[in-house]
Amino acid sequence: MLDYTNCNERFLIVTADDFGLCPSMNGAIMELFRAGAITSTMLMMPCSYAEQAAFAASGRNEVNVGVHLTLTSSSSGKKWGPVIKAPVVRSLIAPDGYFYERAADVELRATEEAVRAEIRGQIEAAIRLGINPTHL
């Protein structure tokens, strides 16, 4: 464990968000890692290309991957829902069958139990795909 209590050094963490959103995003993020332009990324497990992203990053020690805890589906033209396929997360699902678009809707409708189950499910899904999450 590093001790930063008497450290005058500064550290910069450059994170690429939305890993798993689409193939072009996944490719760009991996290229940024290879170029040394970023130091971490955040994997969105509910997205359609999360498995592709996890495969690209797994086993690469230089790639710090966190889990972008996702409870909304606000990307234009792309929709996703919970990774947990169980009634417990019903309060997270909008009438169209996906996550709500707005965080305010999640705040008004989601139960604590649903949020807890979905967050745990996203982390566990990433681990099953070979990701050792470095952050959330």
Side-chain angles (χ1 to χ4, degrees), residues 72-84:
T72 61
S73 181
S74 59
S75 181
S76 170
K78 297 187 186 323
K79 293 283 196 170
W80 48 81
V83 300
I84 298 294

Side-chain angles (χ1 to χ4, degrees), residues 46 56 98:
Y98 300 100

Side-chain angles (χ1 to χ4, degrees), residues 35-124:
I38 61 173
T39 55
S40 69
T41 189
M42 299 290 287
L43 179 59
M44 294 177 69
M45 288 308 302
C47 293
S48 301
Y49 295 92
E51 189 172 336
Q52 178 194 57
F55 178 76
S58 66
R60 298 175 190 242
N61 293 333
E62 76 280 7
V63 178
N64 294 309
V65 181
V67 177
H68 177 150
L69 301 174
T70 306
L71 298 174
T72 61
S73 181
S74 59
S75 181
S76 170
K78 297 187 186 323
K79 293 283 196 170
W80 48 81
V83 300
I84 298 294
K85 305 300 182 211
V88 68
V89 296
R90 181 70 199 130
S91 66
L92 299 175
I93 302 171
D96 65 3
Y98 300 100
F99 280 140
Y100 291 99
E101 290 185 15
R102 299 174 338 125
D105 290 322
V106 177
E107 290 175 24
L108 288 172
R109 293 174 172 88
T111 66
E112 189 175 319
E113 180 183 28
V115 171
R116 184 181 302 113
E118 179 60 17
I119 287 173
R120 180 179 294 271
Q122 290 179 22
I123 296 166
E124 290 172 352

